[in-house]
Amino acid sequence: MQIFSRHMRMLTTGAAMSLALLAAAPAFAVTPADTLVEGFAIDDIITMDPGEAFELSTAEVTSNTYDLLVRLDLNDTSKIVGDLADSWTVSDDGLTYTFKLKQGLKFASGNPITADDVAFSFERAVKLDKSPAFILTQFGLSGDNVTEKAKAADEGTFVFTVDKPYAPSFVLNCLTATVASVVDKKLVLEHVAAVTPSDEYKYDNDFGNAWLKTGYAGSGAFKMREWRANEVVVLERNDNYHGTKAPLTRVIYRHMKESSGQRLALEAGDIDIARNLEPGDLEAISKNADLATTAAPKGTVYYISLNQKNENLAKPEVVEAFKYLVDYDAIGSTLIKGIGDIHQTFLPKGVLGELDENPYKFDVAKAKELLAKAGLADGFTVTMDVRNTQPVTGIAESFQQTLGQAGVKLEIIPGDGKQTLTKYRARTHDMYIGQWGQDYFDPNSNSETFTINPDNSDEGKNKTLAWRNAWDVPKELSDESKAALLEKDSAKRADMYKSLQKAVLEKGPFVIIFQQTEVAGYSAKLKDFKLGPSFDTNYVGPISK
Amino acid sequence: MSIPETSQLAGRKRARAKGWASTIARFLVVMVTTYLGLLAVTFFIGRVIPIDPVLAVLGDRAPAHVVERVREEMGLNRPLYVQFFYYIRDALTGNFGTSVLTTNPVMADIRRVFPATIELATVGTLIGSLVGVPLGVLAAVKRGSIADQVVRVVGLIGYSVPIFWLALLALLFFYAKLQWIAFPGRIDIVYEYSFTPVTGFYLLDSLWQGQWDVFVDVFRHIILPAGLLGYFSLAYISRMTRSFMLNELSQEYIVAARAKGLSETRIIWGHALRNAAVPLVTVIALSYAGLLEGSVLIETVFSWPGLGLYITNSLQNADMNAVLGGTIIIGSVFIAINILSDLLYRTLDPRTRVR
């Protein structure tokens, strides 16, 4: 052993030195006083261009870094308030919207904000025709007419012309969507890339799309400094912001996927806010005196859908039976405790026309009766595609067990989110459990997807949720949904959506289970941190430490 | 028959040159086949995984007409063999395209993330060799003793326990419980915008710039993942060292050295280990290559922004350009290290040169 003693001594000394080095560092990490660090699953971000982005995390970043003409009133989501727009009027025929801009506005770059920038923002979104462009093009805008239909009358006046006399609340709600964010025309034009026109894309430049994927040309409370996919988003205060200046100089979103990891980091002081907590971690955090929690209902509903291509699932009695086979109470008190509320209609709470009715209860006897009526008294076997993530996995397992009590054998096919979605969009599933968030804050968003399916063939162009589940929606339902868009009287419009929800609740092949409550755990030192009513209203501007 | 010395020398040179030529030819064949294999496997994996690549480009909620347009733009409506042809053509011209996930050219992404993996694997291999070689020597010298048994058990655990499981346990213990190490990642956010890496190797950069606090921070980030990788390679290195040493210690020259009265220290470290070092170089090099490609799980657990994490993310998103680029780079490194260690072996051990 003597031969080794010298070497072992060296090794031990080395190890001791390493330990000393570790011990020398501060035991608990603390984020800097002027910086907010959020742990957030941001792996859905694929672009930062507001004309292209359509993901939940991007929407949050965009709404903090870009301004819109109008925004949702956070105190009353049925109202709209001006952002860059000071005031607006709607013409008597309901076709022309005229916006007067606030004066002396500036982009983060220092360039002045004019109606020309607003017109350019609309033009580029429509001409690029990326995922969220339909929110604007549904008003009759196209690449050929956009410069005429969305134009600057003078430096401070923007005029927007729609093709039908839609309900003004619908038009204005759509303009609060991130696709209508106002970009800095001068700055974007400095970064356009040349494109060879083709049949699919008729323009000779990319309207700065390649640059804006990771670049920034806005005027929001914060500027976007950097986005690294699946790693980090860094925002910095915009000193040219027209509203109240943010107290913090920097906001960092760190990509963290797991609830437990976020909890650990929050407890250790490595992050200030944990955004994706599951019930267990949320409960632990609420018991910690240094930490606090907050919650807000979000416009996302979780549902199980039954593909009508499956002949068993296409029987109306089976559809109804399945609605009785979900143990809503058990799910509500355990799996989604604190992160959701039982909700069986397609419009989430807080949206115009929302119907707060949960008529279905877990009832095996009733379900068995219905199954017998459908000629399936002995039950049958069916599969369900389930994304490997909570709470859907837990709900799927609970459903598997309760279906079993009525003799229906449910086989769960687990998969990655993109995998299950690929199958769902190709209509090759039997059943699917998923979430649906509104594309924009207006009842039409969900109404359209749950009640409109003009072409139920595999080639159908309008791939709504009704189409994905091969539900040949009764014509009167679709017609009512379309008519609600043109109803100018808000109260009447709300009633129309209520009746639509009743119909889907009764007949639709969707077992809607709950509405998501967004939760966050945060350091008790934070001030003025609030979650907004929609995914793009979680503002970081007011927060201080 | 007497042959003039000069021509004998020339003959040997010729033979050696011929040896090198055939070696290089062999390498080339291996390389080309490996690359083609890699390309084919990556391509077909990309087509077999049940994820629609258009999803990766557009996200979850794109309207149908946009999906159709992008599918066409991406050439996914062409026959498979045509797609494969374009795939090979692009790869051979070094054009790995743009990553849909990061929107950057794949090569630019790799240049950014690869140093993180190299740094991690290098520190891991250093730990593995600096601890593994002495342990292996110890086990060989004290063959059959308790020390030998301990080394073998330690090695066995490192070899048989899944590394991600160890990593999770270690993270819970050292980060959550003891707070000794830093939060997963490569560097604290506090330094992220005050520290400008030059070479991409943060330990070296921070030392070079004299930023001692950054160095400590980087050290606190790297020590656990690298330590675990080191443990993993230590298991292999110590076992191989032990067997090489046992082989050397049974050789006649050791008996001769002992007879000459040389000290045990000199015999073991100066003679036996020196000879065992030749095959050890290959072992360490291969283990290094193994860590470079195999740190995927560690990188995932520790959110280490390296190539492994990059490829994992890309695969999950069907970002095939990125997967292809990453695979080719890892494949190239693996081939290069193999060739280098082979050449080194030849240089160090003259017996292997002429067969």
Side-chain angles (χ1 to χ4, degrees), chain A residues 41-44 56-57 255 257-258 276 278 300 302-303 384-397 412-424 431-436, chain B residues 55 60-61 316-317:
Chain A
I42 53 166
D43 51 345
D44 58 337
L56 298 184
S57 310
H255 173 54
K257 219 172 154 104
E258 301 295 331
N276 307 85
E278 284 166 16
T300 300
Y302 280 71
Y303 67 98
M384 178 153 85
D385 291 281
V386 181
R387 183 179 176 186
N388 273 327
T389 172
Q390 289 298 3
V392 291
T393 316
I395 295 173
E397 281 160 3
I412 290 177
I413 307 174
D416 174 77
K418 286 216 161 56
Q419 254 175 50
T420 52
L421 203 64
T422 297
K423 206 171 156 190
Y424 188 38
M431 287 208 284
Y432 177 83
I433 178 166
Q435 64 191 101
W436 186 261
Chain B
L55 257 186
D60 295 358
R61 331 192 40 131
Q316 274 174 357
N317 286 284

Side-chain angles (χ1 to χ4, degrees), chain B residues 16-56:
Chain B
R16 198 179 294 169
K18 211 172 149 195
W20 281 110
S22 77
T23 309
I24 289 167
R26 201 159 47 88
F27 283 150
L28 281 177
V29 171
V30 169
M31 235 168 69
V32 170
T33 335
T34 316
Y35 272 130
L36 280 179
L38 264 180
L39 283 174
V41 169
T42 334
F43 177 81
F44 287 105
I45 284 182
R47 295 302 175 271
V48 167
I49 49 168
I51 298 178
D52 184 352
V54 180
L55 257 186

Side-chain angles (χ1 to χ4, degrees), chain A residues 1 25 27 46 55 129 131 200 214 225-226 228 230 234 252 254 256 264-265 268 270 418 422 437 439 461, chain B residues 52 55 58-59 61-65 69 72 103 112 138 142 175-176 179 183-184 189 192-193 220 313 317:
Chain A
M1 223 40 193
I46 44 182
E55 277 60 51
D129 198 19
S131 306
E200 283 126 29
T214 53
R225 170 171 172 160
E226 189 179 15
R228 293 202 300 268
N230 290 16
V234 183
I252 296 174
R254 281 197 76 149
M256 298 173 77
L264 280 180
D270 281 313
K418 286 216 161 56
T422 297
D439 292 329
K461 288 278 174 228
Chain B
D52 184 352
L55 257 186
L58 291 177
R61 331 192 40 131
H65 74 278
R69 192 183 71 212
E72 225 159 274
T103 72
R112 184 172 67 80
L138 169 74
K142 299 281 167 187
Y175 171 68
Q179 288 278 323
F183 179 71
I189 306 162
E192 190 135 354
Y193 296 94
R220 290 179 75 225
N313 281 332
N317 286 284

Side-chain angles (χ1 to χ4, degrees), chain A residues 11-296:
Chain A
L11 274 180
T12 334
T13 320
M17 272 173 64
S18 313
L19 283 180
L21 204 56
L22 288 173
F28 283 83
V30 180
T31 55
D34 63 346
T35 303
L36 179 78
V37 185
E38 297 199 37
F40 197 22
I42 53 166
D43 51 345
D44 58 337
I45 301 181
I46 44 182
T47 170
M48 280 293 178
D49 184 341
E52 179 180 26
F54 205 28
E55 277 60 51
L56 298 184
S57 310
T58 333
E60 177 165 334
V61 175
T62 309
S63 66
N64 276 299
T65 51
Y66 283 87
D67 282 325
L68 296 150
L69 280 174
V70 288
R71 275 187 201 271
L72 274 188
D73 183 347
L74 293 193
N75 302 313
D76 177 358
T77 47
S78 65
K79 291 204 177 81
I80 298 284
V81 291
D83 190 6
L84 293 180
D86 194 33
S87 62
W88 56 91
T89 53
V90 187
S91 64
D92 292 340
D93 60 3
L95 296 179
T96 309
Y97 291 70
T98 308
F99 296 88
K100 288 270 178 213
L101 299 191
K102 291 174 183 165
Q103 298 214 320
L105 299 169
K106 263 189 202 167
F107 283 106
S109 65
N111 294 332
I113 303 178
T114 66
D116 196 29
D117 292 295
V118 183
F120 174 73
S121 306
F122 278 57
E123 181 193 345
R124 77 180 291 276
V126 168
K127 287 188 173 169
L128 280 174
D129 198 19
K130 301 284 186 178
S131 306
F134 76 92
I135 297 175
L136 298 177
T137 56
Q138 64 186 341
F139 298 115
L141 267 59
S142 69
D144 298 328
N145 67 18
V146 65
T147 43
E148 202 39 53
K149 293 202 159 201
K151 65 176 179 188
D154 59 53
E155 202 168 87
T157 314
F158 172 71
V159 182
F160 180 47
T161 314
V162 296
D163 61 341
K164 281 184 203 160
Y166 298 102
S169 56
F170 171 53
V171 177
L172 292 169
N173 276 331
C174 286
L175 294 186
T176 68
T178 53
V179 68
S181 296
V182 178
V183 299
D184 187 337
K185 180 178 179 182
K186 187 161 179 261
L187 189 62
V188 171
L189 288 182
E190 283 166 19
H191 292 93
V192 292
V195 176
T196 316
S198 66
D199 290 347
E200 283 126 29
Y201 187 81
K202 291 182 281 186
Y203 316 102
D204 63 356
N205 75 84
D206 75 340
F207 294 95
N209 175 239
W211 174 69
L212 268 183
K213 276 174 192 278
T214 53
Y216 171 70
S219 57
F222 281 85
K223 309 182 261 194
M224 197 206 60
R225 170 171 172 160
E226 189 179 15
W227 159 56
R228 293 202 300 268
N230 290 16
E231 269 185 58
V232 76
V233 173
V234 183
L235 312 184
E236 264 167 14
R237 182 172 55 214
N238 170 19
D239 290 322
N240 285 337
Y241 182 53
H242 69 89
T244 315
K245 308 273 182 299
L248 294 169
T249 52
R250 190 173 286 158
V251 174
I252 296 174
Y253 290 93
R254 281 197 76 149
H255 173 54
M256 298 173 77
K257 219 172 154 104
E258 301 295 331
S259 164
S260 52
Q262 291 191 7
R263 177 184 148 194
L264 280 180
L266 181 65
E267 287 168 348
D270 281 313
I271 59 174
D272 301 304
I273 304 178
R275 294 286 301 276
N276 307 85
L277 295 170
E278 284 166 16
D281 293 314
L282 181 68
E283 207 177 323
I285 285 171
S286 66
K287 286 180 186 148
N288 186 328
D290 299 331
L291 306 175
T293 62
T294 183

Side-chain angles (χ1 to χ4, degrees), chain B residues 131-286:
Chain B
V131 183
V133 171
L135 283 184
V137 174
L138 169 74
V141 173
K142 299 281 167 187
R143 184 184 186 179
S145 71
I146 293 179
D148 184 19
Q149 298 295 341
V150 170
V151 171
R152 283 163 72 178
V153 169
V154 167
L156 192 72
I157 294 174
Y159 224 68
S160 45
V161 176
I163 193 159
F164 70 91
W165 187 71
L166 269 187
L168 284 172
L169 285 187
L171 198 57
L172 257 180
F173 189 67
F174 291 108
Y175 171 68
K177 188 107 186 121
L178 297 176
Q179 288 278 323
W180 280 6
I181 65 139
F183 179 71
R186 214 181 160 197
I187 186 167
D188 205 288
I189 306 162
V190 181
Y191 300 110
E192 190 135 354
Y193 296 94
S194 62
F195 167 65
T196 330
V198 183
T199 60
F201 304 109
Y202 287 10
L203 284 173
L204 286 182
D205 286 341
S206 54
L207 269 188
W208 183 257
Q209 294 170 18
Q211 291 189 301
W212 182 242
D213 51 340
V214 179
F215 177 79
V216 171
D217 180 67
V218 172
F219 183 84
R220 290 179 75 225
H221 278 89
I222 201 172
I223 187 66
L224 195 56
L228 283 161
L229 284 181
Y231 181 41
F232 185 67
S233 69
L234 167 156
Y236 177 53
I237 292 173
S238 68
R239 213 177 55 167
M240 298 309 280
T241 310
R242 180 179 180 274
S243 92
F244 294 147
M245 281 300 283
L246 284 178
N247 185 33
E248 292 302 325
L249 289 173
S250 65
Q251 301 287 322
E252 279 176 11
Y253 71 89
I254 297 287
V255 182
R258 286 213 174 97
K260 273 204 295 188
L262 286 183
S263 74
E264 274 299 290
T265 314
R266 257 201 81 196
I267 290 171
I268 290 165
W269 299 101
H271 291 283
L273 185 61
R274 223 171 126 190
N275 284 319
V278 177
L280 256 185
V281 166
T282 315
V283 166
I284 293 176
L286 288 181

Side-chain angles (χ1 to χ4, degrees), chain A residues 494-534:
Chain A
D495 285 341
M496 293 169 91
Y497 287 114
K498 280 184 182 154
S499 112
L500 282 163
Q501 287 172 86
K502 274 199 176 134
V504 174
L505 189 61
E506 211 176 293
K507 298 197 190 74
F510 304 99
V511 185
I512 299 171
I513 302 173
F514 75 98
Q515 175 178 357
Q516 186 196 357
T517 305
E518 183 167 22
V519 294
Y522 61 100
S523 155
K525 281 182 290 185
L526 290 190
K527 289 181 204 82
D528 299 315
F529 166 56
K530 263 194 216 131
L531 291 168
S534 65

